[in-house]
């Protein structure tokens, strides 16, 4: 490179250096001027606060106020409550509050906005997390808290602060505590288990319908006492007028827990309806808290033994009756029809029951892990937990269905064996009791499925409790029809197919109970009633016919029915057909007009109503027409069954819970235990309905065997009556 080129290169470098220095210098001067303009001097005032004294002050972006409060720990847990207010605070210029203590911090702002931004509040009052007594030592005897107040407003904003001790922070057994809360003013209290108490029931009651969260949390910080965080810890329920939570000592290491009450800014979570509130509406709720001692595990024994003793009595009576009527005979093997009803029902029970058990245990596990007690519709006023079951009494009370179902199977087996021996010696064909075995198995399965449903009763698993109710009612109707004429009962395959359709309709009715559904249901109900009645009463048992053949026969039957109507004599079957059809038509119209919320129960009423019509038709028309004398023992059994049914229905109408409502609304109907401080009205319904079903099954078992034993009527006359029965 030449000397001239080197000089030019050095010259360019110098020019670039000078230019970069000038630019950087200008930038530094600009940043310095910006820092001088943006720096704001904030004065921090540290003031000594006094407990129980409401102090007022001002704050803006140039003045931060800090209050210092000192106190000494006591032998009992001490809770502090901070109440702040600022009417001048706004959304654009809020006042910020922060509280510092040894084991945590918390902060909020005024105005206070709820998560849904439906209301704002210029007053906030909250408890500070208490210092745990178990961690108290000599170095922590004296505690200090700081309350910081600041605002970015250019104008002074007035505020007030009140810090005071929470009076009667610790609840005691059977003590009634009056509490007032607001969305920005939650409250919580502490309860410690005595040495002789294993579980307690925490009650909350109010005359107000405002929606709130009722929670039980472990003694630790932070305490979740805001609407957006209260469901993060512990056990919680939505509440309007009452709520109850059962708490076990074994679930809490410190043998203590907090009772938290938080008022929600709207009532949607409790009633499912959006409400509009006036801007100046003051949303406050008054309630009472009370802790009752629960029953110990040892006190479960007597109610359980008492229930078992009641049903053991039925076994003893059955054994005594069996010994009195025992006769020596020679067994004779008589060929019988296969047990299609019982075998098919057993298969259905296995495939239906196993997923049910798995599902309800998943519900129970979810309830325990989440703490959300809105999942299950218990009677929380009388919920007796045991092991993994949150309401053991509601599950165990179904034992009556199982025990009496097994007993009925044994009675049918004994009756079947005696019939084989007696009729085998006479060279006659024995009666096929397949339907009766299916009824006994259905009663056992109703107990198991009802127990599974009550593990966690809710809207999603209601069919577990009702499915076998439909099956039992339908089997009873088939039993009555078979007693009228053995040739008019449908096959097991067709019967269970109809039941599957009924369960499907029940699910649709609960999930989609609209006007269109009720219209379609009424039409389907009437058409199905006509189809089944025409098939049963005019066609008979046509096992080999297809659906098309059945429809052709029904068309012919319609013409036959018109011929029957033109005849002057009374046809019992035609009377039954018309009566049952009119009943179902009336029920369909009532359902369309009323549209009850509990469609599953409404559908069950239809089945029970048809069953009652069949029984009335059988006992009044058939018995009176054939001049049969009903044995005294049968009359007693019928009367006892009616009494049991009336008593059972009375307790069923108590309506302790209803999954047709929201969980909070359902809890309003919760009531205390009524028997042995263990069983509620619904448990009594379980016991009485099991007894009523068993007695009703006994009546159906001997439906055609109730001739008076003192009568001189011979077996040939009985056969003539059976022939007349078939002709009718």
């Amino acid at each position: 490179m030449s000397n001239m080129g080197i000089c030019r290169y050095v010259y360019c470098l110098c020019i670039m250096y000078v230019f970069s220095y000038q630019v950087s210098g200008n930038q530094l001067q600009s940043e310095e001027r910006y820092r001088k303009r943006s720096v704001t001097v904030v004065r921090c005032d540290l003031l000594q606060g006094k407990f129980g004294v409401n102090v007022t002050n001002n704050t803006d972006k140039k003045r931060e106020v800090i209050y210092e409060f000192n106190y000494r720990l006591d032998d009992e847990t001490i809770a502090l409550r901070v109440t702040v207010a600022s009417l001048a605070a706004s959304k654009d210029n809020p006042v910020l509050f922060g509280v510092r203590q040894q084991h945590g911090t918390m902060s909020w702002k005024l105005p206070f906005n709820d998560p849904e931004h439906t209301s704002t509040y210029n007053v906030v009052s909250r408890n500070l997390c208490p210092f745990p007594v178990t961690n108290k030592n000599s170095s922590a005897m004296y505690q200090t808290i700081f309350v910081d107040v600041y605002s970015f407003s250019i104008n002074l904003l007035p505020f007030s602060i009140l810090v005071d001790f929470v009076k009667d922070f610790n609840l005691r057994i059977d003590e009634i505590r009056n509490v007032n809360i607001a969305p920005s003013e939650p409250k919580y209290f502490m309860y410690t288990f005595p040495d002789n108490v294993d579980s307690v029931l925490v009650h909350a009651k109010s005359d107000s319908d405002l929606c709130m969260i009722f929670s039980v949390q472990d003694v630790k910080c932070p305490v979740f006492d805001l609407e957006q965080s209260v469901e993060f810890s512990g056990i919680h329920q939505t509440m309007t007028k009452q709520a109850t939570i059962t708490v076990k000592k074994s679930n809490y290491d410190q043998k203590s827990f907090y009772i938290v009450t938080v008022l929600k800014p709207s009532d949607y979570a409790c009633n499912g309806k959006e409400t509009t509130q006036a801007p100046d509406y003051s949303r406050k709720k008054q309630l009472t808290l009370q802790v009752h001692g629960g029953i110990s595990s040892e006190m479960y024994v007597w109610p359980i033994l008492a229930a078992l003793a009641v049903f053991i009595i039925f076994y003893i009576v059955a054994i005594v009756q069996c010994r009195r009527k025992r006769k020596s005979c020679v067994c004779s093997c008589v060929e019988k029809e296969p047990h299609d009803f019982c075998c098919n029902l057993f298969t259905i029970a296995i495939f239906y029951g196993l997923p049910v058990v798995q599902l309800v245990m998943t519900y129970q596990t979810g309830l325990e892990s989440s703490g959300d007690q809105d999942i299950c519709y218990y009677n929380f006023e009388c919920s007796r937990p045991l092991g993994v079951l949150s309401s053991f009494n509601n599950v165990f009370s179904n034992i009556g269905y199982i025990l009496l179902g097994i007993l009925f199977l044994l009675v049918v087996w004994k009756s079947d064996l005696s019939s084989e021996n007696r009729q085998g010696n006479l060279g006659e064909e024995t009666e096929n009791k397949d339907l009766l075995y299916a009824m006994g198995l259905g009663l056992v399965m109703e107990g198991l499925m009802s127990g599974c449903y009550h593990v966690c009763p809710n809207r999603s698993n209601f069919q577990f409790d009702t499915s076998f109710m439909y099956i039992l009612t339908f089997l009873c109707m088939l039993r009555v029809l078979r007693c009228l004429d053995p040739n008019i009962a449908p096959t097991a395959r067709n019967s269970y197919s109809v039941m599957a359709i009924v369960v499907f309709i029940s699910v649709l009715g609960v999930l989609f109970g609209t006007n269109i559904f009720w219209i379609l249901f009424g039409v389907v109900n009437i058409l199905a009633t006509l189809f089944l009645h025409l098939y049963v009463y005019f066609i008979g048992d046509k096992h080999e016919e297809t659906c098309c053949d059945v429809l052709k026969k029904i068309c012919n039957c319609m013409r036959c029915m018109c011929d029957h109507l033109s005849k002057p004599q009374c046809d019992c079957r035609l009377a039954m057909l018309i009566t049952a059809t009119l009943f179902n038509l009336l029920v369909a119209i009532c359902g369309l007009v009323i549209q009850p919320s509990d469609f599953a129960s409404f559908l069950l009423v239809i089945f029970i109503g048809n069953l009652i019509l069949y029984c009335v038709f059988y006992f009044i028309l058939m018995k009176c027409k054939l001049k049969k004398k009903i044995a005294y023992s049968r009359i007693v059994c019928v009367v006892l069954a009616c009494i049991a049914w009336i008593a059972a229905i009375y307790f069923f109408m108590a309506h302790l819970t209803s999954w047709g409502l929201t969980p909070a609304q359902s809890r309003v109907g919760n009531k205390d235990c009524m028997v042995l401080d263990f069983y509620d009205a619904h448990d009594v319904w379980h016991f009485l309905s099991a007894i009523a079903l068993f007695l009703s099954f006994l009546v159906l078992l001997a439906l055609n065997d109730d001739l008076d034993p003192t009568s001189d009527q011979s077996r040939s006359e009985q056969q003539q009556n059976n022939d007349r029965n078939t002709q009718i």
Side-chain angles (χ1 to χ4, degrees):
M1 181 180 294
S2 62
N3 294 333
M4 183 63 68
I6 295 173
C7 292
R8 289 178 180 176
Y9 180 75
V10 172
Y11 177 76
C12 291
L13 290 177
C14 292
I15 293 298
M16 292 176 62
Y17 176 77
V18 172
F19 179 76
S20 62
Y21 177 80
Q22 183 179 2
V23 171
S24 62
N26 294 336
Q27 183 177 1
L28 292 174
Q29 293 177 1
S30 299
E31 292 179 356
E32 184 68 20
R33 288 195 299 269
Y34 176 77
R35 282 197 298 267
K36 289 182 179 179
R37 286 199 308 267
S38 61
V39 170
T40 300
V41 179
V42 178
R43 187 183 69 186
C44 183
D45 294 340
L46 179 60
L47 306 176
Q48 188 67 36
K50 294 182 179 180
F51 291 102
V53 178
N54 188 17
V55 295
T56 58
N57 211 324
N58 301 289
T59 183
D60 59 7
K61 63 181 301 182
K62 296 183 180 181
R63 183 171 185 263
E64 179 181 2
V65 182
I66 301 177
Y67 286 92
E68 178 183 356
F69 297 85
N70 301 294
Y71 67 99
R72 185 180 185 277
L73 295 179
D74 200 353
D75 294 334
E76 194 174 35
T77 300
I78 296 177
L80 299 176
R81 188 168 182 85
V82 178
T83 303
V84 297
S86 178
L87 299 179
S90 63
K91 179 180 179 181
D92 297 329
N93 295 303
V95 178
L96 308 178
F97 295 87
V99 180
R100 292 175 290 159
Q101 50 185 342
Q102 180 176 342
H103 52 281
T105 63
M106 59 190 305
S107 61
W108 61 88
K109 67 177 182 178
L110 290 180
F112 178 84
N113 296 316
D114 60 77
E116 300 175 2
H117 300 284
T118 57
S119 303
T120 57
Y121 305 90
N122 290 88
V123 178
V124 171
S125 181
R126 297 181 63 186
N127 286 7
L128 303 183
C129 189
F131 190 88
V133 177
T134 55
N135 297 339
K136 185 179 67 174
N137 50 50
S138 57
S139 61
M141 287 294 295
Y142 294 93
Q143 292 291 310
T144 301
I145 65 170
F146 295 95
V147 181
D148 301 353
V149 187
Y150 183 72
S151 176
F152 285 92
S153 173
I154 60 176
N155 300 319
L156 287 174
L157 299 179
F159 66 88
S160 64
I161 293 180
L162 173 62
V163 179
D164 200 359
F165 296 98
V166 179
K167 298 180 180 179
D168 299 326
F169 178 69
N170 295 274
L171 284 174
R172 293 172 177 80
I173 284 285
D174 296 329
E175 177 186 0
I176 298 177
R177 182 66 53 81
N178 294 317
V179 181
N180 293 288
I181 58 175
S184 62
E185 302 176 30
K187 290 184 180 180
Y188 61 87
F189 301 89
M190 181 177 177
Y191 177 81
T192 302
F193 284 97
D195 295 335
N196 60 342
V197 176
D198 296 328
S199 65
V200 295
L201 276 73
V202 185
H203 298 274
K205 294 186 178 181
S206 175
D207 295 330
S208 172
D209 288 329
L210 297 181
C211 184
M212 61 167 285
I213 298 291
F214 183 51
S215 174
V216 170
Q217 302 179 20
D218 199 358
V219 178
K220 59 183 180 181
C221 294
V223 179
F224 298 95
D225 62 343
L226 293 179
E227 194 268 337
Q228 63 267 29
S229 63
V230 66
E231 299 179 359
F232 292 168
S233 177
I235 306 171
H236 53 87
Q237 301 176 359
T238 54
M239 168 189 163
T240 53
K241 290 191 174 182
Q242 70 173 13
T244 302
I245 297 179
T246 302
V247 186
K248 295 186 290 187
K249 182 195 294 187
S250 58
N251 293 338
Y252 299 91
D253 296 333
Q254 300 185 32
K255 312 305 178 186
S256 302
F257 59 86
Y258 291 137
I259 304 171
V260 184
T261 58
V262 179
L263 183 62
K264 295 182 74 66
S266 68
D267 296 329
Y268 180 79
C270 291
N271 58 22
K273 299 178 181 179
E274 293 285 0
T275 56
T276 303
Q277 300 176 0
D280 57 345
Y281 174 70
S282 178
R283 185 176 176 85
K284 294 186 177 181
K285 185 181 183 74
Q286 183 178 7
L287 66 147
T288 59
L289 298 177
Q290 190 174 16
V291 179
H292 289 297
I295 64 176
S296 61
S297 301
E298 292 77 11
M299 297 179 64
Y300 282 51
V301 176
W302 290 113
I304 293 175
L305 293 179
L308 294 176
V310 171
F311 298 108
I312 290 175
I313 293 175
F314 284 87
Y315 278 81
I316 296 175
V317 173
I319 293 174
V320 172
Q321 292 294 326
C322 181
R323 290 182 177 275
R324 290 178 56 186
K325 296 181 178 181
R326 183 174 58 185
K327 297 180 180 180
S328 59
C329 55
V330 180
C331 293
S332 175
C333 181
V334 180
E335 184 178 358
K336 299 174 63 174
E337 298 178 9
H339 289 188
D340 290 340
F341 273 96
C342 189
C343 292
N344 289 346
L345 184 60
F346 184 75
T347 304
I348 292 172
I350 293 177
F351 281 93
Y352 191 83
L354 292 180
V356 167
V357 174
Q358 181 181 4
L359 181 61
V360 296
M361 294 311 298
T362 302
Y363 273 125
Q364 184 65 42
T365 303
L367 176 66
E368 293 292 334
S369 60
S370 66
D372 184 6
Q373 295 200 343
D374 284 354
I375 297 176
C376 305
Y377 284 70
Y378 299 124
N379 176 20
F380 290 94
E381 295 287 329
C382 183
S383 179
R384 300 292 182 251
L386 182 64
V388 298
L389 300 178
S390 299
S391 185
F392 170 77
N393 55 310
N394 292 145
V395 176
F396 176 77
S397 60
N398 293 279
I399 192 66
Y401 299 113
I402 300 174
L403 294 179
L404 294 183
I406 296 174
L407 179 59
F408 183 74
L409 288 173
L410 296 175
V411 172
V412 174
W413 174 77
K414 179 62 178 177
S415 175
D416 197 9
L417 183 61
S418 300
S419 299
E420 289 183 357
N421 295 335
R422 181 172 60 255
Q423 297 181 6
N425 294 334
L426 296 175
E428 300 176 355
E429 184 180 0
T430 60
E431 177 191 3
N432 182 20
K433 292 184 171 57
D434 175 33
L435 198 59
L436 295 172
Y437 283 114
M439 290 164 56
L441 178 60
L443 186 56
V444 174
M445 288 306 304
E446 170 58 26
L448 294 176
M449 292 298 101
S450 180
C452 290
Y453 165 74
H454 284 89
V455 170
C456 182
N458 57 58
R459 189 184 186 90
S460 302
N461 60 2
F462 72 95
Q463 67 271 19
F464 301 163
D465 191 28
T466 57
S467 296
F468 278 87
M469 290 183 183
Y470 301 144
I471 292 177
L472 281 178
T473 310
F474 192 73
L475 292 176
C476 290
M477 288 191 291
L478 292 182
R479 172 61 181 172
V480 176
L481 294 176
R482 277 194 172 182
C483 290
L484 290 172
D485 187 346
N487 296 320
I488 63 176
T491 62
R493 180 186 60 187
N494 294 337
S495 299
Y496 291 131
S497 298
V498 171
M499 287 296 96
I501 296 174
V502 169
V503 174
F504 178 72
I505 293 176
S506 176
V507 175
L508 293 179
V510 173
L511 299 180
F512 310 103
T514 60
N515 293 330
I516 297 177
F517 169 81
W518 281 101
I519 294 174
L520 294 177
F521 171 74
V523 174
V524 172
N525 184 23
I526 297 302
L527 294 179
T529 301
L530 288 173
F531 179 87
L532 292 176
H533 286 169
L534 289 173
Y535 177 78
V536 169
Y537 289 98
F538 289 95
I539 297 177
D541 189 17
K542 300 296 183 181
H543 292 206
E544 305 299 331
E545 290 186 349
T546 63
C547 294
C548 294
D549 296 332
V550 171
L551 291 175
K552 292 179 180 178
K553 291 290 185 179
I554 288 180
C555 293
N556 296 330
C557 291
M558 295 295 293
R559 179 167 47 84
C560 295
M561 185 175 65
C562 295
D563 296 338
H564 279 291
L565 289 173
S566 61
K567 295 180 180 180
Q569 69 270 19
C570 176
D571 190 337
C572 296
R573 293 187 186 178
L574 182 59
M576 178 61 193
L577 173 63
I578 295 175
T579 304
T581 304
L582 291 177
F583 169 76
N584 285 275
L585 177 61
L586 178 61
V587 170
I589 295 175
C590 292
L592 181 60
V593 174
I594 302 175
Q595 295 188 4
S597 58
D598 190 355
F599 178 78
S601 298
F602 176 78
L603 191 59
L604 185 61
V605 169
I606 296 177
F607 276 87
I608 294 177
N610 282 275
L611 176 59
I612 293 175
L613 285 177
Y614 290 166
C615 293
V616 170
F617 171 75
Y618 182 86
F619 280 104
I620 295 180
L621 298 182
M622 296 302 297
K623 295 297 184 181
C624 294
K625 188 175 182 65
L626 296 178
K627 305 299 182 181
K628 289 186 177 182
K629 294 183 179 180
I630 303 177
Y632 176 75
S633 60
R634 303 291 183 263
I635 296 177
V636 172
C637 195
V638 171
V639 172
L640 292 178
C642 292
I643 294 175
W645 276 121
I646 293 174
I649 293 174
Y650 171 79
F651 288 102
F652 177 78
M653 297 303 293
H655 296 301
L656 302 180
T657 61
S658 175
W659 46 256
L661 304 174
T662 63
Q665 292 172 335
S666 175
R667 272 188 281 273
V668 175
N670 291 175
K671 296 181 181 179
D672 294 332
C673 301
M674 60 181 306
V675 178
L676 301 177
D677 197 25
F678 192 82
Y679 300 114
D680 59 17
H682 196 74
D683 295 327
V684 178
W685 147 257
H686 286 162
F687 293 140
L688 293 177
S689 60
I691 295 173
L693 282 170
F694 177 73
L695 294 175
S696 301
F697 285 5
L698 290 181
V699 175
L700 295 177
L701 171 63
L703 204 58
N704 273 349
D705 300 334
D706 53 5
L707 292 177
D708 190 344
T710 60
S711 175
D712 295 330
Q713 185 179 28
S714 62
R715 295 186 58 86
S716 60
E717 293 175 344
Q718 295 181 34
Q719 186 62 37
Q720 293 177 3
N721 279 340
N722 292 335
D723 295 340
R724 293 172 58 190
N725 188 359
T726 304
Q727 294 174 2
I728 294 176

